[in-house]
């Protein structure tokens, strides 16, 4: 039977991946009357905790994937490193949105950079380091050596200053496929999160101003206090990317803004993004609801900023401070329900929302 274009409330959404992004997607889906089934190999899934079910099987278990796909109406993924083959297997049974192409591009930094360039999206200068010959001829020094695959939150990369440190870093990264990027002297980092619906309609959330420490996102502030032309370029790049990917779903594009106001794309993720968590508390539509709307063929929601806000990640033991956030009337606390607060682990976030001064206090 042909899948209907609109997947109405009451249907079931399958989510590949069981982390906090899946969890917040499942919560938003529930608000619109959908059920979610989570597929992930993890023993405990924090997305599964708030979903109708958790299928705990491996990503290479073809039979389990087929059976999972058979029980849902549409499938999405909450992390970009989900194996392409798993997505392809699900696609034989049910629509997977955003599909194979976005992860094919996002899973490989060199491919990603080439894809950006083909769409006219500016990037830092870079060159491949995949062999001893390319290592010997690399010129972008000082630079940042990054593995082409499986790097995230600053992992799988090293700052290098000269040939000796470049060679040592390549050795340490296991002589795998890498790219060497020029170090960008940026004034700030921003991200554009774009939703694209089944009908090709697109909405870009207001650009977030991001602060990273040790490669991990710490805060996102919206509205971003940047010149209008910089914001317009960041949005244009995000929209070009969503169109270029022929996306149905969400894509986040992280960018640098150089000191002279040039916008350069760093990397993309075809899923909800940490820098979009502020949308839950301070935007007319959250990024998670927007994803549900997009993949189910519903109209996209408005993306107006309801109040200036700043999202702060709670990393590791910082989440233990939850009583402090609960006591702060401007703070909205989100805890992900992870069992152990390992250093560097994203345990939750808090969004500070500027109170609406003009609203009178309720008397009831
Ligand atoms: P990534 O894993 O590529 O997202 O990088 C994590 C963080 O490292 C970025 O958010 C930046 O703060 C920093 N970074 C990555 N690439 C560069 C670059 N080419 N120049 C300067 N800083 C970078």
């Amino acid at each position: 039977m042909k899948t209907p274009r609109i997947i109405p409330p009451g249907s079931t959404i399958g989510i590949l991946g069981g982390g906090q992004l899946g969890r917040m997607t499942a919560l938003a889906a529930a608000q619109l009357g959908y059920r979610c089934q989570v597929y992930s190999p993890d023993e405990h899934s924090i997305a599964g905790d708030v979903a109708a079910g958790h299928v705990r099987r491996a990503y290479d278990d073809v039979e389990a994937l087929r059976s999972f796909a058979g029980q849902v109406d549409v499938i999405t993924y909450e992390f970009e490193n989900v194996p392409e083959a798993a997505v392809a297997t699900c696609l034989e049974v049910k629509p997977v949105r955003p599909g194979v192409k976005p992860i094919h591009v996002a899973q490989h930094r060199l491919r990603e950079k080439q894809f950006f360039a083909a769409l006219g999206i500016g990037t830092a200068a870079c060159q491949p380091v995949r062999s001893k010959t390319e290592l010997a001829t690399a010129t972008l020094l000082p630079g940042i050596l990054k593995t082409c695959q499986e790097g995230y939150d600053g992992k799988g990369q090293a700052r290098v200053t000269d040939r000796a440190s470049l060679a040592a870093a390549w050795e340490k990264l296991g002589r795998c496929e890498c790219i060497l990027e020029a170090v960008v002297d940026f004034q700030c980092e921003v991200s554009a999160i774009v939703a694209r619906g089944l009908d090709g309609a697109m909405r870009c959330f207001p650009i977030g101003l991001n602060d990273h420490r040790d490669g991990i996102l710490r805060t996102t502030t919206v509205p971003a206090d940047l010149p209008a032309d910089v914001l317009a370029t960041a949005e244009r790049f995000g929209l070009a990317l969503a169109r270029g990917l022929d996306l149905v779903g969400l894509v986040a594009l992280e960018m640098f803004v150089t000191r002279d106001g040039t916008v350069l794309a760093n990397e993309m993720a075809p899923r909800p993004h940490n820098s979009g968590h502020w949308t839950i508390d301070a935007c007319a539509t959250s990024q998670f609801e927007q994803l549900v709307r997009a993949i189910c063929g519903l109209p996209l929601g408005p993306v107006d900023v309801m109040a200036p806000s700043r999202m702060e990640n709670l990393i590791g033991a910082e989440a233990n401070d939850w009583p402090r956030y609960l006591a702060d009337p401007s703070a909205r606390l989100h805890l992900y329900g992870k069992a152990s607060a390992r250093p560097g682990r994203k345990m939750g976030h808090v969004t500070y929302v500027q109170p609406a001064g003009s609203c009178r206090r309720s008397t009831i």
Side-chain angles (χ1 to χ4, degrees), residues 319-340:
N320 297 340
D321 269 347
W322 56 264
R324 179 157 71 86
Y325 302 117
L326 287 180
D328 182 340
S330 67
R332 307 276 189 282
L333 179 66
H334 300 256
L335 294 174
Y336 305 149
K338 293 183 184 177
S340 65

Side-chain angles (χ1 to χ4, degrees), residues 109 144 146 157 181-182 184 186 189 212 256 266-267:
R109 283 190 194 269
I144 303 185
K146 300 182 179 180
Q157 55 181 267
E181 273 180 33
V184 178
F186 56 81
E189 296 183 74
H212 292 82
F256 302 119
N266 179 28
E267 61 178 1

Side-chain angles (χ1 to χ4, degrees), residues 143-328:
I144 303 185
L145 187 70
K146 300 182 179 180
T147 58
C148 282
Q149 289 177 286
E150 303 211 330
Y152 69 95
D153 283 349
K155 294 188 177 71
Q157 55 181 267
R159 288 214 172 213
V160 291
T161 49
D162 51 21
R163 298 221 147 268
S165 58
L166 171 63
W170 193 55
E171 205 62 46
K172 202 169 167 200
L173 293 173
R175 298 181 177 206
C176 63
E177 277 195 314
C178 289
I179 59 169
L180 180 62
E181 273 180 33
V183 178
V184 178
D185 180 23
F186 56 81
Q187 55 163 304
C188 65
E189 296 183 74
V190 295
S191 55
I193 301 176
V194 177
R196 188 165 179 273
L198 262 183
D199 57 359
M202 293 195 285
R203 290 263 162 89
C204 181
F205 284 98
I207 302 300
L209 180 63
N210 300 329
D211 180 35
H212 292 82
R213 256 168 277 157
D214 302 324
I216 303 180
L217 182 71
R218 295 304 311 216
T219 68
T220 298
T221 306
V222 175
D225 185 15
L226 287 167
D229 61 325
V230 169
L231 297 176
T233 304
E235 177 166 332
R236 183 165 55 80
F237 283 176
L239 293 168
L241 176 61
R243 204 181 295 112
L245 289 168
D246 203 16
L247 186 92
V248 177
L250 279 192
V251 67
L253 179 61
E254 292 186 88
M255 292 161 275
F256 302 119
V257 180
T258 65
R259 301 206 179 268
D260 68 0
T262 305
V263 180
L264 300 173
N266 179 28
E267 61 178 1
M268 63 168 248
R271 52 160 172 80
H273 194 259
N274 194 169
S275 65
H277 290 357
W278 68 272
T279 59
I280 301 174
D281 297 303
C283 190
T285 307
S286 81
Q287 61 166 344
F288 301 100
E289 177 178 337
Q290 200 74 303
L291 172 65
V292 171
R293 286 173 175 246
I295 64 174
C296 292
L298 308 180
L300 298 180
V303 290
D304 311 82
V305 176
M306 309 298 279
S309 67
R310 190 180 81 253
M311 186 282 313
E312 283 184 21
N313 270 333
L314 301 178
I315 315 269
E318 287 167 3
N320 297 340
D321 269 347
W322 56 264
R324 179 157 71 86
Y325 302 117
L326 287 180
D328 182 340

